[in-house]
Amino acid sequence: MSRIDGRTAEQLRPVTIERGWSKHAEGSVLISFGDTRVLCTASITEGVPRWRKGSGEGWITAEYAMLPRSTNTRGDRESVRGRIGGRTHEISRLIGRSLRAVVDLKALGENTVVLDCDVLQADGGTRTAAITGAYVALADALAWARDNKLVRAKAQPLTGTVSAVSVGIVDGAPLLDLCYEEDVRAETDMNVVCTGDGRFVEVQGTAEGVPFARTELDALLDLAVAGCAQLDGAQRHALDTGALPPA
Amino acid sequence: MSRIDGRTAEQLRPVTIERGWSKHAEGSVLISFGDTRVLCTASITEGVPRWRKGSGEGWITAEYAMLPRSTNTRGDRESVRGRIGGRTHEISRLIGRSLRAVVDLKALGENTVVLDCDVLQADGGTRTAAITGAYVALADALAWARDNKLVRAKAQPLTGTVSAVSVGIVDGAPLLDLCYEEDVRAETDMNVVCTGDGRFVEVQGTAEGVPFARTELDALLDLAVAGCAQLDGAQRHALDTGALPPA
Amino acid sequence: MSRIDGRTAEQLRPVTIERGWSKHAEGSVLISFGDTRVLCTASITEGVPRWRKGSGEGWITAEYAMLPRSTNTRGDRESVRGRIGGRTHEISRLIGRSLRAVVDLKALGENTVVLDCDVLQADGGTRTAAITGAYVALADALAWARDNKLVRAKAQPLTGTVSAVSVGIVDGAPLLDLCYEEDVRAETDMNVVCTGDGRFVEVQGTAEGVPFARTELDALLDLAVAGCAQLDGAQRHALDTGALPPA
Amino acid sequence: MSRIDGRTAEQLRPVTIERGWSKHAEGSVLISFGDTRVLCTASITEGVPRWRKGSGEGWITAEYAMLPRSTNTRGDRESVRGRIGGRTHEISRLIGRSLRAVVDLKALGENTVVLDCDVLQADGGTRTAAITGAYVALADALAWARDNKLVRAKAQPLTGTVSAVSVGIVDGAPLLDLCYEEDVRAETDMNVVCTGDGRFVEVQGTAEGVPFARTELDALLDLAVAGCAQLDGAQRHALDTGALPPA
Amino acid sequence: MSRIDGRTAEQLRPVTIERGWSKHAEGSVLISFGDTRVLCTASITEGVPRWRKGSGEGWITAEYAMLPRSTNTRGDRESVRGRIGGRTHEISRLIGRSLRAVVDLKALGENTVVLDCDVLQADGGTRTAAITGAYVALADALAWARDNKLVRAKAQPLTGTVSAVSVGIVDGAPLLDLCYEEDVRAETDMNVVCTGDGRFVEVQGTAEGVPFARTELDALLDLAVAGCAQLDGAQRHALDTGALPPA
Amino acid sequence: MSRIDGRTAEQLRPVTIERGWSKHAEGSVLISFGDTRVLCTASITEGVPRWRKGSGEGWITAEYAMLPRSTNTRGDRESVRGRIGGRTHEISRLIGRSLRAVVDLKALGENTVVLDCDVLQADGGTRTAAITGAYVALADALAWARDNKLVRAKAQPLTGTVSAVSVGIVDGAPLLDLCYEEDVRAETDMNVVCTGDGRFVEVQGTAEGVPFARTELDALLDLAVAGCAQLDGAQRHALDTGALPPA
């Protein structure tokens, strides 16, 4: 059975990772998973939030947002409504946790990195694209920090690599990297964040309709681990060459 | 190896479920998982939010909150700060989704149930206690709705039962139902929501320190499924007798 | 003429004062005036708000809130609405002033006590139950502060005792300690806060329907003073024995 | 003993009531109690808030505010801070209740009157000046409503008159109409709202330092009743002549 | 062709400038442009906002607001809505910039002046009246600062004078100082802020209906410059004599 | 004298206009003025805001925002701060007014167009780039509306074209289209919005340091009119060909 866009069940959408998209940020990446496009910038500054001062450790945090017309029908701006919605909060926290999982905050020293992930166009998988892109922006910002002596020359703040992908059960079949249309129809929806060595940072599975069985969960995890391994390759290629590997 | 409070790795804390705690609410439960105490009330009203009107379907939503001094050091009130925090949003949404997974919204008709879960005392596992207690409050409110003709006599809005428990890896060992002290030290922390027939509604695992392996994930899921089966028994006992089963 | 619940005009509802309700707070009391139940916790911390630093004096403040389903119909959460309502503000300020009236802030030293009064179930008189319970929680927290050397051993921060009761004119008759049904029908409604020696800390009388005469005001004050004297006894008994005096 | 400004204990400050201060409002009054100046406008519009529709009754509400530099040191604007403070809420509610006490909402019909009381200069007694001035603005607006057929020709929405004054105990002596300097030093502070026939609408007494005795309360009430009788005269004179009676 | 109120095209409305209106503020002016009345107070305090500390320079800022019933139909309070509207923000910033243009912030030293411009009654031209009045209040506050040694005796913080006027094209004709009725009908609306020597601080022209041509722009600028010269005279007269020059 | 980036005084930076950037919006443009990049989307929906219903006329509004790291140092998100800043408000209003100036709202019918202008990278002139790009997005959305029968086939909602440019005096010399570095150093800064036939929609000039003379104003207006004429050409070329004209 083939999917809406002709992919097989275990196939990612085309992934592009464009580094150095912004002239201001210490790290910046425009990442796309198919039609989903997220601009990820990493801003590094000396110093840490008050509750961390004097600890000798740094801090990594993230903010996710969607442009009002990144979606099919325009959404209200959260700045105009005067409050951040629950979904935005949830995803911002997820991105921050995911990246902290591969950073040695002691080696970072008392510096703060803010990862801004702004969705320019949404077609499913915005949070997983954000994590995958933010990792590359973070790596660039940490390299900048070493070049600019914010971080000691021998410090290794990055302890691993991290990427994320969505999986789900659609019409009974487990599928990798759902686009919006598939996501809407999914009975179960899962976001998985993996390190480059195949371990888990986050596993978030949700039954949208009927509850799911252990065997289904296992199938989804298998798909996700394989998908993250491919994304890990795309990240490495982008970091090595500045160019995108052939899909 | 025995735990802080003398439990074995696969043992729940004492669970109590006190129904009918409030004289006003259609369903109300004071649930405790050890020293964690959550007051869950179910408020049912005719009508649905505007975006659902005319659909013939009902709605279930939840709001979670902690009293300022439910914790060891006092937290600011979110009402005074003027905004709901990210964690509160996240847990409220989780509770709502978990209960909707066992409700046939068509059978509910155009009625709304709000589940308020207020943590009176916190000692780890507040969200899982909230889900487990809210299910019982919801069952009572739906019985009330049938008695009061809000719902047709033959309608079966409840399609199953649901409970939740936390699991985690502490000092390398998978443990069931973490208390606060264990939760703080956990390397991996997972909340699992199961139906009474052992399927999953939500699986949320997070690596707090080091990423976790597939074998660890499997061990945690095993523990959680067994824990939820016990909680399912406690819920049934409370609903059958109004009294708590011996621990 | 007997009242809805069979009381005489000058009779209080049954009062219970359960100390040590919370394992975290320095002082905590679950107080009930009939079906009205308020959880009062006292949190004491070193230091004072910025505007008081260096004064050598402490600070006492209070926050009152109602759980959404403490009432007959569910109310919106103030945290969700994003702002504290006028009534909440008013009552929080009243509780704070009432307790400060019996505290020597100099003897307290530069420490802060926050009294959280959360209404778990409402049936009239929530603010007066809150003041009466908060006094006991405060006394316990100040004893804790002496034991833990936050306050000097010989300091006497408490200069008196304080309790509060509502009175009102219902169908032309002055009544003590109104329950919700009486409160709704009252032509005049008054909250009185007294010290243990029978003097006034606050007198707040409001004509709900027709204005009230001086003779009516006098009768209400007489009732309130007698009611507070009984509450003073209940507080002393709770503090002496940890148990409630027979009603 | 004479007071700071040479008055006797039972003497009001000079009172001026200037009607028709604004060309836009249906009723408008600039009232002064000594150096305290409050602009009171009454805005009447057809219709009532949603929760009152179809009741056949009108609604009266009030909003109190202070200009930032009406006081000795500049206060932040509540609009800039993004929230109304507790004191503002409390006083707005007091003004609204006080005026509703002398209005027959049925006779008003489904019309709404908003009383805006903006303190242009503050020197103690701003809330009592606001109530006293708002009554006159309200009377003018109701006359306008009858002339403009918003209210039936024979309807008598006003059922009485209302004014307010502060009293307090300063250095042991009961004083009428405290100016700011006296207010700051007062041991007890009371605001009393009376109808023209000498009955009470509101009595709000607060011990700022030591609690107060019944005899003190009685003395304050005597002073307040006499003060309100004088203010009632000033209101009548203003309404009869458009000019202020000689002090 | 004569105007609604009988003025010629190049005639200002009667201008009054009443200094010393408030007993608390260091400078205060009640200014009127016809029926538009704005209370301008200048509050000067030692110290500057954090971002300016140690710079040796002072700061001038302004806040503009309208009383709810300053207009023909009552507007909601921004404090109640919980946010400042765009128009309020815009005008506050304009007033601040306009006054900073004639102040040497170095000569002011590390002091802050806040100009509060509260519209008591609106009939067009509120922002231009506010700037014109605020200048006089500022001049008084700076004189007070010198007398009170906040500013060195020889410092000259004021480097010029500033006033403002509106101009517009109504029914094809360029008019000076529009009243509300003219403003509503204007095709082009322009606010011009000039120094006493005829140079520009701000020029803000807006086509309300059809775009305007360069010749129209030139005619409007001519009118405005002449109007500001007259306002400059009124300001000087008020500052010299405390009285208003004959119109 | 040549400029920082080698341009002459009357030269624009390279302008690119990329239509159809987003797959969701009815009109979308990524515009760049040198390193300033703004994503402009036009969202058209049936219906108008409540205050316009039944008027037969449509509505055009705009929202401007900057991504947090579009600037050299990261700015806080307005959604996180919970309020829109004054500058954002001001620019959003300016964009909306500018576009309404070339739209016949009657011909638009009761439809609403929202123009979202999100600055992805800032280097001066963000508001003028936003207006210039938003015009093209609006034109595309209106064409879409005609194709999709939202607007009648013969309706001509667009009555002209509009573009905008900044001008300023830097080191005494009038310059066109300031980049950030020039903008910071400008003594006078002006934003001019022109129609394609050379008339003015908005003229906003501000003296940042010293006030400016009439001759300087004239020189700036000359530059701006010439700059807008070039931008008008770039817009037409983009709309005709979908491609960018050679710079």
Side-chain angles (χ1 to χ4, degrees), chain E residues 87-99:
Chain E
R87 181 183 172 275
T88 297
H89 252 143
E90 214 170 294
I91 299 179
S92 295
R93 286 156 54 92
L94 170 65
I95 300 171
R97 280 200 310 272
S98 296
L99 292 172

PDB file of all heavy atoms in Angstrom, chain E residues 87-99:
ATOM      1  N   ARG E  87      -3.115  52.966  19.890  1.00  0.00           N
ATOM      2  CA  ARG E  87      -3.150  54.421  19.780  1.00  0.00           C
ATOM      3  C   ARG E  87      -2.508  55.072  21.008  1.00  0.00           C
ATOM      4  O   ARG E  87      -1.756  56.042  20.898  1.00  0.00           O
ATOM      5  CB  ARG E  87      -4.613  54.865  19.654  1.00  0.00           C
ATOM      6  CG  ARG E  87      -4.799  56.349  19.514  1.00  0.00           C
ATOM      7  CD  ARG E  87      -6.276  56.741  19.467  1.00  0.00           C
ATOM      8  NE  ARG E  87      -6.419  58.183  19.521  1.00  0.00           N
ATOM      9  CZ  ARG E  87      -6.449  58.864  20.653  1.00  0.00           C
ATOM     10  NH1 ARG E  87      -6.357  58.249  21.816  1.00  0.00           N
ATOM     11  NH2 ARG E  87      -6.558  60.185  20.618  1.00  0.00           N
ATOM     12  N   THR E  88      -2.801  54.542  22.199  1.00  0.00           N
ATOM     13  CA  THR E  88      -2.236  55.092  23.430  1.00  0.00           C
ATOM     14  C   THR E  88      -0.718  54.984  23.419  1.00  0.00           C
ATOM     15  O   THR E  88       0.007  55.934  23.757  1.00  0.00           O
ATOM     16  CB  THR E  88      -2.796  54.305  24.636  1.00  0.00           C
ATOM     17  OG1 THR E  88      -4.205  54.508  24.681  1.00  0.00           O
ATOM     18  CG2 THR E  88      -2.179  54.768  25.934  1.00  0.00           C
ATOM     19  N   HIS E  89      -0.222  53.815  23.038  1.00  0.00           N
ATOM     20  CA  HIS E  89       1.209  53.592  22.939  1.00  0.00           C
ATOM     21  C   HIS E  89       1.861  54.605  22.017  1.00  0.00           C
ATOM     22  O   HIS E  89       2.885  55.205  22.334  1.00  0.00           O
ATOM     23  CB  HIS E  89       1.448  52.193  22.349  1.00  0.00           C
ATOM     24  CG  HIS E  89       1.949  51.224  23.342  1.00  0.00           C
ATOM     25  ND1 HIS E  89       1.573  49.914  23.354  1.00  0.00           N
ATOM     26  CD2 HIS E  89       2.806  51.358  24.391  1.00  0.00           C
ATOM     27  CE1 HIS E  89       2.176  49.291  24.342  1.00  0.00           C
ATOM     28  NE2 HIS E  89       2.917  50.142  24.991  1.00  0.00           N
ATOM     29  N   GLU E  90       1.235  54.761  20.851  1.00  0.00           N
ATOM     30  CA  GLU E  90       1.771  55.615  19.803  1.00  0.00           C
ATOM     31  C   GLU E  90       1.895  57.057  20.289  1.00  0.00           C
ATOM     32  O   GLU E  90       2.902  57.714  20.058  1.00  0.00           O
ATOM     33  CB  GLU E  90       0.782  55.538  18.629  1.00  0.00           C
ATOM     34  CG  GLU E  90       1.417  55.615  17.281  1.00  0.00           C
ATOM     35  CD  GLU E  90       0.393  55.275  16.205  1.00  0.00           C
ATOM     36  OE1 GLU E  90      -0.066  54.113  16.166  1.00  0.00           O
ATOM     37  OE2 GLU E  90       0.045  56.175  15.429  1.00  0.00           O
ATOM     38  N   ILE E  91       0.837  57.534  20.945  1.00  0.00           N
ATOM     39  CA  ILE E  91       0.829  58.934  21.372  1.00  0.00           C
ATOM     40  C   ILE E  91       1.786  59.147  22.540  1.00  0.00           C
ATOM     41  O   ILE E  91       2.487  60.152  22.615  1.00  0.00           O
ATOM     42  CB  ILE E  91      -0.615  59.370  21.720  1.00  0.00           C
ATOM     43  CG1 ILE E  91      -1.506  59.238  20.477  1.00  0.00           C
ATOM     44  CG2 ILE E  91      -0.635  60.786  22.271  1.00  0.00           C
ATOM     45  CD1 ILE E  91      -2.959  59.609  20.691  1.00  0.00           C
ATOM     46  N   SER E  92       1.850  58.189  23.450  1.00  0.00           N
ATOM     47  CA  SER E  92       2.784  58.322  24.571  1.00  0.00           C
ATOM     48  C   SER E  92       4.213  58.436  24.064  1.00  0.00           C
ATOM     49  O   SER E  92       5.001  59.269  24.530  1.00  0.00           O
ATOM     50  CB  SER E  92       2.677  57.103  25.504  1.00  0.00           C
ATOM     51  OG  SER E  92       1.410  57.063  26.118  1.00  0.00           O
ATOM     52  N   ARG E  93       4.547  57.613  23.082  1.00  0.00           N
ATOM     53  CA  ARG E  93       5.893  57.651  22.517  1.00  0.00           C
ATOM     54  C   ARG E  93       6.157  58.971  21.799  1.00  0.00           C
ATOM     55  O   ARG E  93       7.253  59.539  21.907  1.00  0.00           O
ATOM     56  CB  ARG E  93       6.076  56.482  21.553  1.00  0.00           C
ATOM     57  CG  ARG E  93       6.223  55.144  22.276  1.00  0.00           C
ATOM     58  CD  ARG E  93       5.840  53.955  21.419  1.00  0.00           C
ATOM     59  NE  ARG E  93       6.528  53.885  20.176  1.00  0.00           N
ATOM     60  CZ  ARG E  93       7.680  53.217  19.975  1.00  0.00           C
ATOM     61  NH1 ARG E  93       8.228  52.561  20.965  1.00  0.00           N
ATOM     62  NH2 ARG E  93       8.248  53.197  18.797  1.00  0.00           N
ATOM     63  N   LEU E  94       5.147  59.474  21.095  1.00  0.00           N
ATOM     64  CA  LEU E  94       5.290  60.747  20.394  1.00  0.00           C
ATOM     65  C   LEU E  94       5.570  61.887  21.363  1.00  0.00           C
ATOM     66  O   LEU E  94       6.440  62.739  21.135  1.00  0.00           O
ATOM     67  CB  LEU E  94       4.006  61.036  19.605  1.00  0.00           C
ATOM     68  CG  LEU E  94       3.868  62.427  19.002  1.00  0.00           C
ATOM     69  CD1 LEU E  94       4.923  62.655  17.924  1.00  0.00           C
ATOM     70  CD2 LEU E  94       2.469  62.620  18.393  1.00  0.00           C
ATOM     71  N   ILE E  95       4.830  61.922  22.469  1.00  0.00           N
ATOM     72  CA  ILE E  95       5.021  63.002  23.451  1.00  0.00           C
ATOM     73  C   ILE E  95       6.433  62.921  24.041  1.00  0.00           C
ATOM     74  O   ILE E  95       7.138  63.927  24.155  1.00  0.00           O
ATOM     75  CB  ILE E  95       3.962  62.914  24.580  1.00  0.00           C
ATOM     76  CG1 ILE E  95       2.550  63.046  24.002  1.00  0.00           C
ATOM     77  CG2 ILE E  95       4.207  63.991  25.634  1.00  0.00           C
ATOM     78  CD1 ILE E  95       1.427  62.744  25.010  1.00  0.00           C
ATOM     79  N   GLY E  96       6.853  61.731  24.393  1.00  0.00           N
ATOM     80  CA  GLY E  96       8.190  61.556  24.971  1.00  0.00           C
ATOM     81  C   GLY E  96       9.281  62.029  24.010  1.00  0.00           C
ATOM     82  O   GLY E  96      10.165  62.802  24.394  1.00  0.00           O
ATOM     83  N   ARG E  97       9.203  61.579  22.760  1.00  0.00           N
ATOM     84  CA  ARG E  97      10.215  61.990  21.771  1.00  0.00           C
ATOM     85  C   ARG E  97      10.232  63.499  21.576  1.00  0.00           C
ATOM     86  O   ARG E  97      11.285  64.118  21.452  1.00  0.00           O
ATOM     87  CB  ARG E  97       9.902  61.361  20.404  1.00  0.00           C
ATOM     88  CG  ARG E  97      10.326  59.918  20.240  1.00  0.00           C
ATOM     89  CD  ARG E  97      10.424  59.535  18.759  1.00  0.00           C
ATOM     90  NE  ARG E  97       9.246  59.892  17.977  1.00  0.00           N
ATOM     91  CZ  ARG E  97       8.177  59.115  17.819  1.00  0.00           C
ATOM     92  NH1 ARG E  97       8.123  57.915  18.389  1.00  0.00           N
ATOM     93  NH2 ARG E  97       7.161  59.519  17.089  1.00  0.00           N
ATOM     94  N   SER E  98       9.017  64.084  21.538  1.00  0.00           N
ATOM     95  CA  SER E  98       8.915  65.520  21.266  1.00  0.00           C
ATOM     96  C   SER E  98       9.618  66.326  22.357  1.00  0.00           C
ATOM     97  O   SER E  98      10.308  67.311  22.066  1.00  0.00           O
ATOM     98  CB  SER E  98       7.442  65.934  21.178  1.00  0.00           C
ATOM     99  OG  SER E  98       6.828  65.278  20.080  1.00  0.00           O
ATOM    100  N   LEU E  99       9.466  65.913  23.606  1.00  0.00           N
ATOM    101  CA  LEU E  99      10.072  66.682  24.678  1.00  0.00           C
ATOM    102  C   LEU E  99      11.573  66.407  24.783  1.00  0.00           C
ATOM    103  O   LEU E  99      12.349  67.312  25.074  1.00  0.00           O
ATOM    104  CB  LEU E  99       9.348  66.404  25.994  1.00  0.00           C
ATOM    105  CG  LEU E  99       7.913  66.964  25.975  1.00  0.00           C
ATOM    106  CD1 LEU E  99       7.143  66.524  27.190  1.00  0.00           C
ATOM    107  CD2 LEU E  99       7.914  68.483  25.859  1.00  0.00           C
TER     108      LEU E  99
END
